[in-house]
Amino acid sequence: MRHFLDLADWSSEELMRLIDEAVFLKKEFRTGGNRPILQGKSLAMVFQKPSLRTRVSFEMGMQQLGGYALYISPNEIGLGKRESIADVARVLGGYVNGVMARVFAHEHVTELAKWSPVPIINGLSDYNHPCQAMADVLTIYEEFGQLRDLTVAYLGDSNNVTRSLLIAAAKFGFKMVVSSPEGYSLDQEVIAKARGIAGYEVVQLITDPQEAVRNADVIYTDTWTSMGQEDEAEQRRKVFPPYQVNYPLLQMAPAHTIVMHCLPAHRGEEITDSVADGPQSRLFPQAENRLHAQKAILVQLLR
Ligand code: CP
Ligand code: NVA
């Protein structure tokens, strides 16, 4: 049984085929609509955390492909609390053709996958966010027409989004510069994993944010406080301001640089309005691309 838990589990060729399929499905959708490739197929969407993009893009994606999506809110099934994850996986597998899960502990998606008779898609865990990275790659690919030799400078908190983006870099052949305050940088494990996949120097850690963006084709940022870290928000607000993506910082990067953010944005914290709404911003095409990238994943796993 194939699952979509981590880009590291898929080969570069498979992932590039998913991007090509996403490009195709996007074009097809915009020129008359998608064929009902997933007619009669259903997806359960299990959420332990809130969501706008993940929930709506998976639900609409299934609908546009002729299938059905069922939203299950954080209070409903109590993954691992009301019922064991192994039991939830096997019960859901009797009703639906696939499960998308957004969880706190990454072990919850791996445990679901261990027991599930149907494909599991990771819709974000504390560890990673592979669907986001696929939408990000699609956005970068559309912008530059290729991926190799590009540099993505990620500023701020090295989190789930950063980890998946780094594995995407290793798989698709681009480079990352990561600029985080001390104590909030990438863990050595994920760096070693990415280097092992890439076979080239895929990531550079540069503490100075101005230095970090100097050769960037893409500047990327995310919230300073991820879901589940709310208790640390005040402390984080003291540490992260030098890593804000603002207009003066953008001036330090090449003129062609685009700005990305997985959203939701905390405007005035990690990104300013002038950048988020400025000509170099790709925030909303990027958000839209969640739909197209995930439809390719759904078709691959459920058809
Ligand atoms: N980027 C993203 O995953 O957004 P949501 O949390 O709204 O799903
Ligand atoms: N790093 C953020 C991403 C939200 C899509 C979080 O985990 O809250």
Side-chain angles (χ1 to χ4, degrees), residues 23 38 54 60 85 90 94 115 121 123 154 195 219 230 284:
V23 170
L38 297 184
T54 304
M60 291 301 106
I85 293 174
R90 287 172 290 180
W115 293 97
I121 300 172
Y154 180 95
R195 284 182 177 153
I219 297 177
E230 289 77 9
F284 299 106

Side-chain angles (χ1 to χ4, degrees), residues 16 87 155 186 188 276:
M16 197 60 224
D87 287 358
L155 269 66
L186 281 171
Q188 286 307 318

Side-chain angles (χ1 to χ4, degrees), residues 183-234:
Y184 297 93
S185 198
L186 281 171
D187 42 290
Q188 286 307 318
E189 272 171 46
V190 77
I191 293 176
K193 181 167 155 178
R195 284 182 177 153
I197 292 168
Y200 60 90
E201 195 48 289
V202 62
V203 59
Q204 239 188 311
L205 305 181
I206 299 180
T207 317
D208 176 3
Q210 301 201 348
E211 176 69 27
V213 302
R214 202 182 296 277
N215 295 311
D217 301 293
V218 178
I219 297 177
Y220 199 119
T221 191
D222 183 19
T223 181
W224 295 337
T225 304
S226 286
M227 292 180 276
Q229 299 174 329
E230 289 77 9
D231 291 350
E232 300 171 27
E234 204 176 321

Side-chain angles (χ1 to χ4, degrees), residues 50-55 102 124 129 132 227 262-264 290:
S51 168
L52 166 61
R53 280 145 292 272
T54 304
R55 189 249 161 107
R102 163 166 288 194
L124 178 146
H129 197 1
Q132 181 67 53
M227 292 180 276
C262 61
L263 302 176
R290 291 291 302 279

Side-chain angles (χ1 to χ4, degrees), residues 50-119:
S51 168
L52 166 61
R53 280 145 292 272
T54 304
R55 189 249 161 107
V56 179
S57 58
F58 268 106
E59 188 161 337
M60 291 301 106
M62 281 302 288
Q63 191 180 29
Q64 290 161 13
L65 293 165
Y68 182 82
L70 175 73
Y71 171 72
I72 304 170
S73 75
N75 305 330
E76 286 178 81
I77 58 177
L79 258 192
K81 292 194 188 110
R82 181 168 183 266
E83 206 163 345
S84 80
I85 293 174
D87 287 358
V88 169
R90 287 172 290 180
V91 170
L92 278 176
Y95 302 141
V96 296
N97 304 104
V99 176
M100 191 283 299
R102 163 166 288 194
V103 300
F104 286 97
H106 188 68
E107 293 67 40
H108 285 189
V109 284
T110 54
E111 181 75 359
L112 278 171
K114 181 176 164 193
W115 293 97
S116 177
V118 299

Side-chain angles (χ1 to χ4, degrees), residues 127-139:
Y127 173 68
N128 67 357
H129 197 1
C131 294
Q132 181 67 53
M134 290 301 281
D136 299 342
V137 169
L138 174 59
T139 310

